[in-house]
Amino acid sequence: MDDHPLFIFGVKSMLSDIDEFEVVGAAGDGPSAIEMAHELLPDIMLLDIMLPGMSGIEVARQICGTMPSIKIIILSSDTSTDTLEGLLKLKIKGIVSKLSDDSSIVKAIRCVSEGQYFYGTDIESLIERIKYDKEDAGVSFSAREMDIIRLSCEGLQYKEIAQELGISDNTVASIKKNIFHKLEINNSVELVLYAIKKNLISI
């Protein structure tokens, strides 16, 4: 669904020429898109983020909430951080830049129809950047936690770390458990990999 007649015509014509696809409808504004989705219940819906009457994000939110069986692929020229974060929260199945060629739209539909996600190389790099930035911003460590991370990366065990820092084994275990919880990891190997990735230690 898109607000530009020529774009709608172009996409519809392109998809109609592919035997495996059946275009069941097209709408030029948000309210019409929702009404048509309720009526037709398509397997996949291509949705422009910029629509008159209602934003594409709001249309997607309503459809995801009331018709979760419909897989939504967003077509957008807006790849700002706020927009992408909003779409990721809705668990949109695919995002395709409107600057991409027709083959990207076809590939997105095929991927999503097979139960996969599709973001395209350019969008994926932006999403990874968002995740990386949020990860960096969301995790901080106390001085004592940093000591334990450093010593763990040096290969010291709980008892050795306790002796080095002059604290009990139980305290080391408790602090390390908290570090694992913060990072959503399960063992010291993952902790070392995280520390290397984030330049918390030098190797």
Side-chain angles (χ1 to χ4, degrees):
M1 312 305 171
D2 186 278
D3 68 332
H4 196 297
L6 288 178
F7 186 82
I8 293 177
F9 177 79
V11 172
K12 186 175 180 180
S13 297
M14 181 265 294
L15 296 178
S16 296
D17 289 337
I18 301 175
D19 291 339
E20 66 191 278
F21 299 149
E22 179 185 0
V23 180
V24 296
D29 59 65
S32 297
I34 293 174
E35 181 180 350
M36 194 169 288
H38 277 283
E39 179 184 346
L40 300 173
L41 291 175
D43 295 319
I44 295 175
M45 184 175 187
L46 298 179
L47 182 62
D48 192 341
I49 206 167
M50 301 298 291
L51 291 172
M54 184 184 298
S55 74
I57 288 183
E58 181 56 33
V59 172
R61 182 177 292 110
Q62 291 194 30
I63 290 176
C64 288
T66 60
M67 295 169 281
S69 63
I70 299 177
K71 300 179 177 71
I72 296 176
I73 298 173
I74 291 291
L75 302 175
S76 179
S77 56
D78 179 2
T79 55
S80 65
T81 297
D82 288 344
T83 296
L84 290 177
E85 284 186 319
L87 294 173
L88 291 174
K89 287 177 182 177
L90 291 177
K91 298 183 179 179
I92 296 299
K93 298 298 182 182
I95 305 173
V96 179
S97 170
K98 290 180 75 172
L99 301 178
S100 301
D101 56 23
D102 291 349
S103 64
S104 293
I105 296 177
V106 173
K107 185 176 180 180
I109 294 173
R110 285 174 175 153
C111 284
V112 170
S113 67
E114 294 171 358
Q116 304 174 44
Y117 289 85
F118 181 90
Y119 298 123
T121 305
D122 53 342
I123 301 295
E124 278 184 349
S125 64
L126 292 170
I127 290 173
E128 284 301 313
R129 182 71 255 175
I130 290 171
K131 290 180 178 179
Y132 183 85
D133 289 343
K134 289 178 74 67
E135 190 177 71
D136 277 354
V139 180
S140 60
F141 302 104
S142 67
R144 180 61 81 194
E145 287 174 332
M146 284 301 301
D147 286 338
I148 289 178
I149 290 172
R150 175 177 54 82
L151 294 173
S152 295
C153 291
E154 291 177 6
L156 274 63
Q157 303 302 308
Y158 285 84
K159 185 177 292 294
E160 296 170 314
I161 293 174
Q163 292 175 347
E164 180 76 18
L165 299 177
I167 56 180
S168 69
D169 295 5
N170 287 338
T171 298
V172 172
S174 177
I175 294 174
K176 202 164 185 180
K177 181 179 179 181
N178 187 53
I179 293 170
F180 286 174
H181 178 73
K182 280 185 179 182
L183 300 178
E184 298 181 351
I185 61 177
N186 301 303
N187 55 61
S188 295
V189 173
E190 290 179 277
L191 178 59
V192 172
L193 292 174
Y194 175 88
I196 293 172
K197 177 182 176 183
K198 299 301 181 182
N199 294 315
L200 298 180
I201 62 170
S202 58
I203 55 174

